[in-house]
Amino acid sequence: MSLRRVIASGVRSLFQRKREERELDEELRGFLEMAVGEKMKEGMSRKEAARAVRLERGSVGGAKESVREAGWEHLLETCWQDIRFGARMLRKNPGFTAVVVLTLALGIGANTAVFSVVNGVLLKPLPYRDPGRLLMLWESSLQGGTLGTVAPANFYDWREQSRSFEKMAAIDPYPDFIMNGVSEARRLAGAAVSQDFFSLLGTHMTAGRDFLPEEDRPGSNHVIILSYSTWQSYFGGRSDVVGKRLTLNNDAYTVVGVLPRDFSFVGKASDYHSRNHFDVWTPLALPHPPQAWQRGTHPLCIFAQLKPGVSLQQAQTDLNQVASNLQRLYPADDKERGITAVPLAEHVVADARVALFTLLATVGMVLLIACANIANLMLTRGATRQKEIAVRIALGASRARLARQLLTESVVLAGAGGVLGLAFVYLTVPTLVRHLPSDLPRAAEISVDWRVLLFTCALSMFTGVMFGVVPLHQSRRVSGNDSLKQGGWSVASDHSRLRSGLIVGQVAIALILLTGAGLMAKSLWKLMQVSAGFETEHVLTARLSLPPQYTNDYKFGTGQHRQISLFQRELLERVRQIPGVKSVAFTAYLPLSGTDNSWAFYIEGRPANPPGVYDVADYRPVSADYFETIGIPILRGRAFLPSDTEDNPLVVIINRAMEQIWWKQQDPVGQRVRFGDDDWRTIVGVVGDVHHEGLDVKPEPEMYVPYGQVPNVEARPTIVLRTSIEPESVTSALRQAVSEIDPNVPMDHAETMKEIVYGSVSQSRFRTAMLIIFALLAVFVASVGLYGVLSYSVSERTREFGIRMAIGASRGAILGSVLSKAVRLIVIGICLGLLGALLLTRLIASLLYGISPFDVITLASVSTLLAIVGLVASYMPARRAMRVDPVVALRYE
Amino acid sequence: MTDKPSDLVQGTLDMLILKTLALEPMHGYGISVRIEQMSKGVFHLNAGSLFVAFQRLQRAGLIKGEWKATDKNRRARYYSLTEQGRKRLESETREWGRQVAAIARILEAS
């Protein structure tokens, strides 16, 4: 039997209902008529025969009913009846319907909005071909297990020696390009990729072509691929851009291709020097075979595509084999080095997962509280509907049929809420996306797609059933007779237990959310209390991009170096003249900017480390007044002087963390260190620590070298200004000074230090803000629920209060009796909530900074807050009870 | 055998209808009379279950119906077996024989 035919004929009969009815009618009549005829032949009268046939064979109506109920389409029909009936009932109670639909719209809308973020970031497959087979490969230290970017020579070796991968590609996210020949010099964020990078991702160019293998070689790599947005903004989307020659960094490049509009580079910004978008792409063009120095520098991120059928496990085993080969072949570089494969999707979103699921759980709990409120409303309304239900039972409606009808009503309500909620989602998602923390990966992929719509549908159904079950439970207890006999009041009192249970649940969930929000807020506050190690007030920073004539072919002690120094000296001199500027300096790597560099170093007179083990510290070239300008304290020795140039002895300044690791017993000032092939440098001072990576990351050992003596030249220095006036107000003067000295030097990222510090905690700020909003919403909804239930119980007990007052109860006693009920509910709710919080907040421990998830002060203060709000909500109905006029109350009914 | 008509074994009505139609196309009343006659009055069919079975069999594509004039010049819907229905009847008959034989063996054994 084919299911398709069953469905098709069912659907057909739905639409041809009338004709089918008629035919069935005719056929049945004929059938019974023939039976009657037979009986009459046996000698019965027509009347007798008809009676006998009806007894033996059944009636036309009965048979039709059986036939109708047998097909599946019957279910649809009655369902449609229920929906229409439900809608009619809801139209009759516009106030009730509006409250419920609006509550649900907000609840479902908020859930869907958060889900759309979770969907875009965590659930959607990556926008590449066969994303499940994409991995990232990292160098890992055998001891600490920390992952790091990859040396070019290792990339070659991995690609040649591994067996598990279809393709392996590398990306160097560092190169920047200054585009000349446009009105103002612009810096383009560039990435250099190996030739098969785009084919690995399955990306096809929207215009032009991918890189050719021969272009991925030094000397023939002056070709670029444009991002779609670069193509649009600089070339107006013209198709003749392919083949066009551009001048970048004073060199000629040919455009060979344009990436499609929907190409998005999925990456963790922290892997790519805080960037998650690239304007132009060039071939990596590494020398082949790899040269020795390419084992000591580690700039690359590696993408790999598994061969079909190869598991991550197998690939990792394969890579371990490769790693042990390399450890043997190149002990100096690779002795302590392993290789770790991580699925691309996992790597990119792992950090965001806990926070996003916490948000989703939070907003889900808000919806649960709202459901409880609606269930309570339904109960109140159900009390008045008991008669209707009793009549239906008396007329022979089965309980299953009745349950279906009541549930349909709830689902209709929830459906209306869902539709309205979706409108809310379409309005809010763009705003939400704008306010997401900038370092959240895949934010560009957030949209309302079919998964989101499906979620809304499922959620609406789910909520409908959630709050629909409660009145259902109530209808179970209605027996036809009792309800019809009763006068219509006092029936609902046996549900007061259920109501109280719902309130306790609401209070408990609200407390859990408040605890979460409280913990987040307190840990954000603690984070903001962390001293960054530098001054945040009155400091302006901006990033400059130096054209290659300032950095190319750098040789220590040549004229090139003097030229860059000249540019910098001239700029510093000019900026110092700007009114309101107190001091100014350069640094290569600004704290909290996401840029960093580290070097291995040797201490004079210390025994050599075993092969493969290095002493490493962060490397910070800065100009003379840097410490004073940014406000890092000099703890010992001296700061850099303008005279610290290559003509004078080489010097270095270390930070406290470095001192504490390597100079526990002796004073480092006067000692000498060396990095790479550089000459020995004398330590002339010790400065305070800064939180370079983030306020929640502990300071790393750092060594500062003076700009006048740097062994490599940073093409993207940051200029730092200390001002006596509002730092933003000197931005334009700074920009003007730069362009007056060299119009080909673009300046961007002009931010105050305060903004940078603020931006560095944006993820934490975002989730704290969201959690607080949802928790307050939960408290509000729960207290509305508490208010509603108490009001109802007060109105129910009006007669009781009247009698009690008539026989001498004081108003205070009445107030007390209502409040004591409220207090009982609140206290039980808070106790359960505390239990729940103790169980659940452990899950967000990784999001907290500086406090334990069982922080007593937080737990105590949120409990108190909730208790106070609860009491305020209960006071109003309690006061009404107190004001009951005994005469009026007793006369009532 | 009791005097009162028995209820059909669950699921066998469809098979009986198919068997009846295997001889020639028939209308509803004809089918019911034929089944009653062949069962010598053991089975008695009411209109409801019969017509539900017709609908079920039609939807499964085992029989098809067609309006025709009867010999007494009335309009009636005649049902006939489809090719699929014929196959189904064969397989069901075989299966039924197997089951009956098996049940008989069990009952006789004790």
Side-chain angles (χ1 to χ4, degrees), chain A residues 33-326:
Chain A
E33 195 50 48
M34 287 183 213
V36 169
E38 203 75 4
K39 295 266 185 224
M40 283 165 71
K41 267 194 218 153
E42 289 167 14
M44 286 190 193
S45 76
R46 184 165 185 89
K47 210 172 164 189
E48 280 171 343
R51 207 180 104 79
V53 166
R54 193 151 50 241
L55 278 177
E56 275 172 26
R57 306 278 186 179
S59 65
V60 175
K64 259 161 68 176
E65 191 66 19
S66 323
V67 172
R68 208 180 306 135
E69 277 178 15
W72 62 266
E73 71 275 10
H74 170 71
L75 213 66
L76 271 186
E77 264 183 358
T78 53
C79 201
W80 178 234
Q81 273 173 17
D82 286 351
I83 289 175
R84 277 186 316 196
F85 180 77
R88 212 155 52 229
M89 289 298 290
L90 296 175
R91 266 206 307 276
K92 272 204 267 176
N93 289 288
F96 167 81
T97 309
V99 168
V100 173
V101 169
L102 276 179
T103 310
L104 283 173
L106 278 180
I108 294 176
N111 271 275
T112 307
V114 172
F115 178 78
S116 71
V117 176
V118 171
N119 176 45
V121 177
L122 300 179
L123 303 182
K124 258 189 206 177
L126 297 178
Y128 305 128
R129 186 188 56 205
D130 226 341
R133 282 163 54 201
L134 295 180
L135 307 178
M136 288 198 83
L137 308 184
W138 302 95
E139 290 180 355
S140 52
S141 81
L142 290 185
Q143 273 141 21
T146 49
L147 303 184
T149 42
V150 178
N154 282 338
F155 165 58
Y156 279 125
D157 292 336
W158 296 359
R159 189 157 66 172
E160 270 150 32
Q161 296 176 20
S162 62
R163 302 273 163 274
S164 315
F165 306 100
E166 189 99 36
K167 282 191 165 88
M168 203 187 283
I171 171 169
D172 176 357
Y174 205 50
D176 263 5
F177 295 94
I178 298 169
M179 187 154 70
N180 311 96
V182 284
S183 57
E184 196 183 49
R186 284 295 184 80
R187 184 170 62 93
L188 297 179
V193 294
S194 62
Q195 187 267 327
D196 45 7
F197 180 78
F198 291 112
S199 58
L200 182 149
L201 297 180
T203 304
H204 299 284
M205 299 301 145
T206 202
R209 57 165 175 82
D210 199 352
F211 295 130
L212 302 174
E214 57 266 30
E215 287 165 347
D216 194 10
R217 279 182 209 134
S220 52
N221 59 333
H222 281 196
V223 290
I224 60 168
I225 285 175
L226 302 176
S227 78
Y228 191 86
S229 60
T230 308
W231 184 43
Q232 291 297 321
S233 51
Y234 291 104
F235 304 97
R238 283 192 312 273
S239 56
D240 64 352
V241 72
V242 174
K244 212 173 145 90
R245 292 171 80 79
L246 300 177
T247 312
L248 297 171
N249 290 353
N250 297 335
D251 253 328
Y253 282 80
T254 309
V255 177
V256 296
V258 178
L259 283 166
R261 180 189 213 133
D262 59 359
F263 176 79
S264 100
F265 180 73
V266 172
K268 206 155 76 174
S270 58
D271 293 337
Y272 306 100
H273 304 269
S274 289
R275 299 195 282 192
N276 43 26
H277 173 82
F278 297 102
D279 302 311
V280 291
W281 306 73
T282 61
L284 188 57
L286 291 169
H288 193 80
Q291 294 164 3
W293 63 268
Q294 289 182 303
R295 293 198 184 277
T297 169
H298 304 264
L300 301 179
C301 291
I302 307 298
F303 286 69
Q305 182 188 34
L306 282 173
K307 280 183 181 159
V310 175
S311 72
L312 178 63
Q313 203 68 49
Q314 289 165 321
Q316 185 60 58
T317 313
D318 180 20
L319 289 171
N320 291 346
Q321 183 62 44
V322 174
S324 67
N325 271 348
L326 296 180

Side-chain angles (χ1 to χ4, degrees), chain A residues 1 5-6 9-10 13 23-24 26-28 31 33-35 38 41 56-57 63 66-67 70-73, chain B residues 27-29 32 36 44-48 50-52 55 59-61 67 72 74-77 79 84 88:
Chain A
M1 162 163 358
R5 201 202 306 264
V6 171
S9 67
S13 85
E23 287 196 349
L24 182 62
E26 184 182 350
E27 200 182 346
L28 273 166
F31 176 90
E33 195 50 48
M34 287 183 213
E38 203 75 4
K41 267 194 218 153
E56 275 172 26
R57 306 278 186 179
S66 323
V67 172
W72 62 266
E73 71 275 10
Chain B
H27 53 61
Y29 186 68
S32 80
E36 283 160 22
H44 201 78
L45 300 170
N46 79 12
L50 197 60
F51 279 79
V52 169
Q55 174 176 308
R59 287 201 177 173
W67 288 97
K72 288 186 186 116
R74 299 166 97 107
R75 239 165 72 85
R77 199 168 157 88
Y79 293 98
Q84 227 182 326
R88 174 66 65 87

